[in-house]
Amino acid sequence: MNTAYVSALDVTAGLVLFAAVMTLWRRGVRTIVSILGVQGLSLSAVALVLAIHEHDTALLVTGGLVLVLKGIVIPGLLLRASRLDPKSRETRPLVNVPASLVAAAVLIVLSYVVSARITSLAPSDATRLVPLGMATILVGYFMLVTRRRAVSKIVGLILVDNGIGLVAYLLTSGVPFIVELGSSIDVLLVVVVLQFLMVSMGRHSDVDVLTERRELRD
Amino acid sequence: MTWYLVALSLGALAAIAGATLPRRVRVPVAAALGALGCAVSLVAAVGDLIDGRTILVHSDRLLPFSGVSLTLDPLAALFVVLSSLVGVAACLYLVGYAHGPSASRSAVSIFMVFVLALSVVPLASNIVSFMFAWELMALSSLLLIVTDQAQRPKARSAALWYAAMTQAGAVSITLGLLLCASRAPGQSFVDIAASSSTLSATTRTAAFVLVLLGFASKAGAVPLHVWLPKAHPEAPSPVSALMSSAMVSMGVYGIVRVGGDLLHGGTVGWWVAVAALGIVSAVYGALHATTASDFKRLLAFSTIDIMGLSLIGVGAAGVLEDSGMHADATLAMMAALLLLVAHAAFKGALFLGAGSVERATGTRNLDRLGGLVHTMPTTSVVVALSAGAIMAVPTLSGFSSEWLLLQGLLHGFTDTSTPVVIVMLLGVVALALTGGLTAVAFVKAFGIGFLGQPRSAGARDSREVSRWMGWGSALLVLPSLVLGLVPGLVVSLINRAADTGLGGVATTPVSTGAGLALSQLRGAIEPAALLGALVGVMVVLALAARTLGQRRARRVDAWGCGREEQTPRMQYTATSFAEPLQRVFADVLRPQMDVEVTHAVESRYFQQSLTYHHRIADVVEVRAYRPVFGVVHRVGVLARRLQNGSIHRYLAFGFVALLVVVVVLA
């Protein structure tokens, strides 16, 4: 039972980080969004595995919520947004793909180094995996900074949020349900607003490449 | 205190009336309420000053922390008299002046708030109430500069200067007052005064320096004066009058209140510094006043001059008090306070008069005026008498106050300690020099602006704009006459205020009567008798001329160096009148002059046109402030490289910051 739990946790949490790195590797916007969906599913699987192991109903409900929201609703919304320009690709990221992958490796190492102290506070099968969540946050942020497409940036933002969620589940077996609900709805709202912005930006100019936009201040 | 509360309520009502009433009745109703409020507080303050009462009102509501606390002691009462006096005149003047944007809801109600704040500042007696009233005064005057004339680029830049300086000053004053109160059980001025002697000498000096910086900047002391000659001329005239007479006086009030009353005099170094500020300001202000050709700018610089003289008086009082010459100190302090009251009246009248001239002619450039004495008789009389007062013509108020100041300084020489002698000596020199320069400035202002022939169509077609404006400004001539002719009547009132300012030990260096007579020292003047004698001699001479001399007057043209036709352009202008002085003081003033000559096409020996440009920049601004702005600007340009509008860059900042935090914490 215990080894099954540990393996399940390892696989699901590992998938979250793997998905994050995959988003750096792939260029097609639709592909990236699909990978995001896979990550959402993995994240919900982490929550569900933990919930079953700890017999925690609230976490079970949270896991279900994450499954619906981050596995289905948000990727669905983003897919619809990217349908405006189905062939759009992340053609010219600010940091190219091989360099991004190297950077991701560095960030993963960094998160193992910095998470060591957190893990040592309460070593357990779950907290052992905190570096994965940390790495997901950093990789997500890296994506947010280096990708030009608006959709990629939104994906980066959600990666950060997923990473934070993963760390929270692993460290504390989930934040209180109400907090999780609030933050999930926040993310949904952000995605809706950004999607709306993206669509209206697309009407003003043909591409949603953000590099040319210098005057967002006004 | 009931009367003050009535007056304050009337002021508040005036502000509300200004903000709510429809356009047609707004200005008269608000101005009537405002003038009535000022008149009530004026009468009440004079009454309390005569009785020498100290009244206290405290309410824990209304303001946070320690509530509202108002105290009326003789020193506060004197400044209430001063600001209410100008307030009445300015409100009356406003009835005629306000139209267009200056009669808008915001302009009228903020004006009333400004008038109200001016009479609350001296009453406030704890830190919160004081700073509240102080900021109300500063912010309302700032808004008044921009509400009326926001479309003029000069007004906007002036307002910016004023805003920066006044807010920096307010910060400095707040810090200083808090430092004063660091050992006090509460925030009230009574607590501070009781506990300030337990503070260490360094703390007290630091507190005084902070407070001095703030108040000196409000009083326009050089080198903190830079905002004043920009903001005072650009404000609407009744606001200029209030700013330049009542508001600047509050700077001196603050120095006396904190230095003399709350901190009990401190060390001699403080007052030497105050006197030094005064000496520099007096000479610098007077010098710039002589060369200015914008009427209101000239008046603003002369405000710096008079505030300087008053600071010399305050500084001398502190120095003399420190060396134990209490009677002399009181004399110098009385001179400073009398000068402030006299200045409030004549400078108020001059600014109101300048406003009337600007309204009537459309310009305040003296080089374009002339001949107004025929077209604007009331304004001319007001300006002539007030200019006489500021030039210290005997029988007018400037003379009695400057005479007292001179007596205070001269009698200070009996002390032999070095700082006292140096302060007195330089003070006397500054007083003498500025006396002469002020005379030049105002002979120029009146002679060029009001006498002679009109130099522009605006001046030729001018007429008195409104009776209200005339009455408002004429009202402020009365104090100049009273203080000038029978100064002895008010001496006891000023004496009480000076005693409070010096810590409360009563002495009477000047005996009461019609004129001024020093009771413990030698020296007396009787301006009323002087005037009587003068009038008598003139009557006798006139009679003698009538009976003995030629009866028929002969009218001939003025001699024009042989030229038949004489045009207004052949008269002296303000610029040419001041040119010799400008030459003498070229090292300080640093004038910039350009002469552009266009030659005739046929021959270079003939000129087609000749243009003369002339500009005097404020040396302090150019040398001390501009370099600082340059540095700030360069830092700003560097910062703009970080802030280039690229969303990637902003995100990268966040990412790098996160990495740094993570690495540092790990």
Side-chain angles (χ1 to χ4, degrees):
Chain A
M1 174 63 200
N2 204 24
T3 46
Y5 157 69
V6 173
S7 316
L9 209 55
D10 282 355
V11 169
T12 47
L15 258 179
V16 172
L17 178 59
F18 183 66
V21 178
M22 285 287 281
T23 55
L24 283 181
W25 179 37
R26 301 303 303 182
R27 287 173 184 251
V29 167
R30 293 176 61 83
T31 323
I32 291 175
V33 174
S34 313
I35 296 171
L36 184 72
V38 172
Q39 190 186 43
L41 294 176
S42 325
L43 183 65
S44 73
V46 171
L48 294 174
V49 167
L50 277 168
I52 293 164
H53 183 254
E54 317 249 319
H55 307 294
D56 187 344
T57 331
L59 193 54
L60 202 64
V61 178
T62 308
L65 185 78
V66 171
L67 181 74
V68 174
L69 204 63
K70 292 185 172 164
I72 300 164
V73 176
I74 292 177
L77 284 173
L78 286 176
L79 274 181
R80 271 181 58 190
S82 63
R83 206 166 289 155
L84 286 172
D85 184 10
K87 285 181 196 158
S88 66
R89 290 170 63 80
E90 188 62 59
T91 43
R92 236 171 3 103
L94 293 173
V95 176
N96 66 26
V97 171
S100 298
L101 292 177
V102 173
V106 172
L107 291 175
I108 292 168
V109 172
L110 180 70
S111 46
Y112 267 97
V113 173
V114 300
S115 307
R117 284 171 65 174
I118 302 174
T119 314
S120 64
L121 288 176
S124 75
D125 291 332
T127 53
R128 205 166 41 78
L129 299 173
V130 163
L132 298 181
M134 207 68 142
T136 310
I137 297 173
L138 294 181
V139 170
Y141 215 141
F142 184 73
M143 173 134 182
L144 190 61
V145 174
T146 58
R147 296 305 187 252
R148 292 175 197 255
R149 296 261 163 204
V151 176
S152 315
K153 284 205 184 290
I154 299 175
V155 169
L157 185 71
I158 298 167
L159 286 185
V160 172
D161 188 67
N162 287 348
I164 293 170
L166 182 58
V167 171
Y169 300 142
L170 293 175
L171 276 182
T172 64
S173 303
V175 288
F177 179 66
I178 189 77
V179 177
E180 177 60 38
L181 192 67
S183 74
S184 300
I185 289 174
D186 272 355
V187 173
L188 183 64
L189 194 70
V190 166
V191 170
V192 171
V193 169
L194 287 179
Q195 189 196 8
F196 179 77
L197 266 179
M198 223 172 75
V199 171
S200 60
M201 271 159 58
R203 273 196 207 118
H204 287 294
S205 58
D206 296 339
V207 285
D208 54 344
V209 174
L210 288 179
T211 309
E212 284 76 32
R213 300 188 184 277
R214 279 289 167 99
E215 293 301 324
L216 285 179
R217 285 171 292 185
D218 304 325
Chain B
M1 206 65 177
T2 326
W3 287 111
Y4 292 102
L5 298 181
V6 169
L8 296 183
S9 323
L10 281 170
L13 268 182
I16 295 169
T20 52
L21 290 179
R23 193 165 193 95
R24 287 185 57 193
V25 291
R26 186 185 305 149
V27 177
V29 172
L33 286 170
L36 191 62
C38 286
V40 169
S41 71
L42 176 66
V43 172
V46 169
D48 290 329
L49 205 48
I50 290 172
D51 297 343
R53 280 188 294 236
T54 296
I55 313 170
L56 234 162
V57 168
H58 182 80
S59 157
D60 280 329
R61 314 250 170 86
L62 296 171
L63 282 181
F65 305 118
S66 49
V68 175
S69 208
L70 302 178
T71 305
L72 190 96
D73 58 8
L75 183 63
L78 186 72
F79 282 87
V80 172
V81 168
L82 184 155
S83 56
S84 318
L85 186 70
V86 190
V88 174
C91 283
L92 293 181
Y93 186 88
L94 188 73
V95 179
Y97 182 85
H99 74 86
S102 57
S104 69
R105 282 174 204 283
S106 47
V108 174
S109 72
I110 294 172
F111 182 85
M112 294 303 159
V113 169
F114 183 40
V115 172
L116 183 68
L118 277 172
S119 45
V120 179
V121 167
L123 290 178
S125 65
N126 67 23
I127 296 181
V128 173
S129 326
F130 183 80
M131 287 319 294
F132 183 78
W134 185 264
E135 282 295 275
L136 204 60
M137 172 180 88
L139 293 179
S140 53
S141 53
L142 172 64
L143 285 175
L144 286 170
I145 297 175
V146 279
T147 45
D148 197 18
Q149 321 178 352
Q151 64 272 27
R152 284 159 66 173
K154 263 186 152 181
R156 296 178 76 165
S157 110
L160 204 58
W161 273 93
Y162 177 40
M165 296 292 285
T166 189
Q167 289 311 303
V171 169
S172 183
I173 294 169
T174 313
L175 289 178
L177 285 177
L178 290 177
L179 212 52
C180 290
S182 50
R183 290 272 176 83
Q187 284 193 348
S188 76
F189 285 179
V190 179
D191 289 340
I192 295 176
S195 69
S196 67
S197 44
T198 60
L199 292 170
S200 74
T202 330
T203 316
R204 277 155 45 116
T205 303
F208 183 73
V209 168
L210 282 171
V211 169
L212 179 63
L213 285 177
F215 286 131
S217 129
K218 186 57 89 185
V222 177
L224 302 168
H225 68 285
V226 189
W227 64 275
L228 198 151
K230 295 177 191 294
H232 287 197
E234 289 305 326
S237 290
V239 180
S240 312
L242 284 167
M243 285 173 83
S244 212
S245 54
M247 194 176 77
V248 287
S249 307
M250 295 306 158
V252 182
Y253 165 76
I255 294 172
V256 174
R257 173 65 78 192
V258 176
D261 186 19
L262 301 188
L263 295 176
H264 311 299
T267 60
V268 70
W270 298 7
W271 303 105
V272 172
V274 171
L277 277 179
I279 290 166
V280 175
S281 312
V283 176
Y284 193 82
L287 208 50
H288 271 277
T290 53
T291 53
S293 54
D294 178 331
F295 194 10
K296 283 176 87 175
R297 195 172 154 83
L298 183 152
L299 294 178
F301 272 116
S302 103
T303 298
I304 296 177
D305 158 24
I306 304 282
M307 286 300 119
L309 292 183
S310 155
L311 285 179
I312 293 176
V314 171
V319 171
L320 290 168
E321 179 77 8
D322 188 74
S323 57
M325 302 167 71
H326 186 66
D328 253 0
T330 313
L331 189 60
M333 184 62 88
M334 283 172 67
L337 296 178
L338 186 61
L339 188 59
L340 285 181
V341 177
H343 170 254
F346 59 62
K347 189 53 65 63
L350 282 168
F351 261 112
L352 294 180
S356 303
V357 170
E358 190 184 9
R359 256 300 148 73
T361 63
T363 180
R364 32 176 226 249
N365 186 350
L366 291 171
D367 289 339
R368 315 277 302 154
L369 297 175
L372 297 182
V373 78
H374 304 294
T375 54
M376 303 180 71
T378 318
T379 308
S380 302
V381 170
V382 167
V383 171
L385 284 174
S386 305
I390 204 171
M391 285 189 285
V393 170
T395 71
L396 290 170
S397 60
F399 177 72
S400 28
S401 44
E402 289 190 19
W403 182 81
L404 266 192
L405 182 57
L406 193 62
Q407 291 298 327
L409 293 175
L410 287 178
H411 285 98
F413 280 117
T414 44
D415 192 275
T416 47
S417 74
T418 326
V420 177
V421 173
I422 290 176
V423 166
M424 300 303 138
L425 190 65
L426 290 178
V428 169
V429 171
L431 190 60
L433 184 57
T434 58
L437 290 173
T438 309
V440 173
F442 281 89
V443 163
K444 179 181 83 176
F446 191 75
I448 305 289
F450 289 78
L451 304 180
Q453 293 178 24
R455 293 176 180 78
S456 67
R460 196 181 58 234
D461 304 333
S462 61
R463 58 186 178 81
E464 291 287 357
V465 177
S466 147
R467 235 177 299 160
W468 287 102
M469 286 159 76
W471 289 340
S473 50
L475 187 68
L476 286 178
V477 176
L478 288 181
S480 295
L481 292 173
V482 171
L483 294 182
L485 283 175
V486 281
L489 293 185
V490 295
V491 146
S492 59
L493 310 186
I494 307 272
N495 199 342
R496 283 210 188 96
D499 285 337
T500 320
L502 285 170
V505 188
T507 43
T508 46
V510 185
S511 50
T512 50
L516 295 173
L518 306 188
S519 48
Q520 293 157 26
L521 309 158
R522 276 182 354 139
I525 50 164
E526 282 291 346
L530 195 67
L531 183 70
L534 188 69
V535 171
V537 169
M538 281 169 71
V539 168
V540 169
L541 282 180
L543 285 177
R546 190 162 268 250
T547 47
L548 302 176
Q550 195 180 22
R551 292 192 182 193
R552 268 182 345 133
R554 205 159 53 93
R555 282 192 169 274
V556 291
D557 284 337
W559 184 60
C561 298
R563 283 180 76 125
E564 291 254 319
E565 192 198 12
Q566 291 176 41
T567 68
R569 290 199 59 185
M570 294 165 74
Q571 304 172 93
Y572 260 103
T573 62
T575 311
S576 57
F577 186 79
E579 209 274 341
L581 263 178
Q582 181 186 308
R583 221 168 254 264
V584 172
F585 291 101
D587 286 341
V588 185
L589 292 169
R590 312 227 163 221
Q592 294 170 343
M593 284 173 287
D594 292 310
V595 181
E596 283 173 23
V597 183
T598 315
H599 295 290
V601 186
E602 292 81 11
S603 164
R604 285 185 58 81
Y605 293 107
F606 295 98
Q607 291 155 1
Q608 203 160 42
S609 69
L610 198 69
T611 331
Y612 175 76
H613 295 283
H614 162 255
R615 210 172 73 85
I616 293 183
D618 193 329
V619 182
V620 177
E621 183 191 327
V622 174
R623 292 290 164 88
Y625 286 74
R626 294 285 167 193
V628 176
F629 295 162
V631 171
V632 172
H633 183 72
R634 259 171 270 146
V635 172
V637 169
L638 283 181
R640 198 177 289 162
R641 286 196 198 156
L642 298 175
Q643 161 83 304
N644 69 348
S646 153
I647 191 165
H648 305 296
R649 178 167 293 193
Y650 296 147
L651 288 168
F653 287 148
F655 185 54
V656 171
L658 177 69
L659 285 184
V660 169
V661 169
V662 161
V663 169
V664 167
L665 288 183

